[in-house]
Amino acid sequence: MIALLEDGALETLLNQVGGDTSLRHRFLRDFVALWPSRAERLAESLARPDLEEAHVVLLSIRSTSTMVGAVVLEATAALVHTALARNDVPGCLRHLPRLIEVGEATCAELAVLATTAEDAERTQKAWREQQAQQQAHHGQQSHDGDHAAPPRRWEFPAQRAQH
C-alpha cells in the first residue's frame, strides 16, 4: 500500500499553525469535512466546463493537501491541474475518478490520525492535571502541618533489619 501522508505530517502541520493543537485539529476536521464539496465543485466545473472555477478548486485542493502532508492527493491533483493548464478537459475527466478515490482515502486516514492525536493529547492533559492536583494536595498537606512522609527509597528486607 502506498503511504498517502508524509511521515510526520501532523507534527509539520502543528508547526505551521504555531503549535496550537486545537487549530491543527480544526484544520484537519475542516479538510475532511470540505473534501466532498471540493470534489463536487471540481466535477461540476469540469462538466460545464468552467476552467477558472476548476483552477480555483484545484489550487485549494493542492495547497491544503500540502499543508496536511497529503502527498499522493497533491500529486494526483497536480496531474489534473496540468491537464487543465493545457485546456485538456477530457484529460482532467480521466484523472477525476482517481483524484476522488485518493481524496476519500486520504480523508479516512486523516480522520483516524486526528482522532488518535486528539485522544493522546486528552490523555496527556488529564495526566498533567492529575499530577498538578497531586502536587497541590501534597503541598496543602505540608502547609496544614500534616506532614506526609516523603516516598521512601526501596529497601530490601535485609537492609531494614540492619537499621
Side-chain angles (χ1 to χ4, degrees):
M1 182 174 164
I2 296 174
L4 297 172
L5 302 173
E6 274 182 321
D7 286 339
L10 293 182
E11 292 77 23
T12 301
L13 179 59
L14 185 60
N15 289 334
Q16 291 173 346
V17 296
D20 186 337
T21 57
S22 64
L23 185 57
R24 175 182 66 182
H25 293 312
R26 191 174 91 210
F27 190 88
L28 290 171
R29 282 191 305 271
D30 288 351
F31 181 92
V32 171
L34 290 171
W35 173 252
S37 65
R38 285 182 176 138
E40 186 177 321
R41 280 178 52 212
L42 181 59
E44 289 173 356
S45 65
L46 290 172
R48 282 194 291 272
D50 181 346
L51 302 186
E52 187 175 323
E53 174 68 6
H55 175 72
V56 169
V57 175
L58 284 165
L59 285 175
S60 175
I61 291 170
R62 292 184 69 190
S63 63
T64 56
S65 294
T66 298
M67 286 187 72
V68 299
V71 291
V72 178
L73 182 56
E74 195 287 326
T76 308
L79 289 172
V80 179
H81 213 185
T82 299
L84 184 68
R86 287 182 272 142
N87 294 320
D88 180 9
V89 175
C92 293
L93 292 170
R94 277 192 306 276
H95 291 299
L96 189 59
R98 178 68 179 146
L99 178 66
I100 292 170
E101 177 187 354
V102 169
E104 290 171 354
T106 299
C107 287
E109 192 169 324
L110 282 171
V112 169
L113 283 176
T115 301
T116 302
E118 283 180 298
D119 289 347
E121 288 164 8
R122 272 195 294 275
T123 301
Q124 289 173 351
K125 182 180 178 187
W127 183 83
R128 285 191 300 269
E129 288 171 356
Q130 180 183 19
Q131 294 299 314
Q133 287 174 352
Q134 287 176 351
Q135 288 175 350
H137 180 70
H138 181 69
Q140 184 179 13
Q141 284 180 340
S142 295
H143 292 299
D144 293 342
D146 182 16
H147 297 288
R152 291 180 15 170
R153 67 179 174 84
W154 177 256
E155 296 176 344
F156 290 97
Q159 290 176 318
R160 269 192 268 164
Q162 294 174 355
H163 289 255

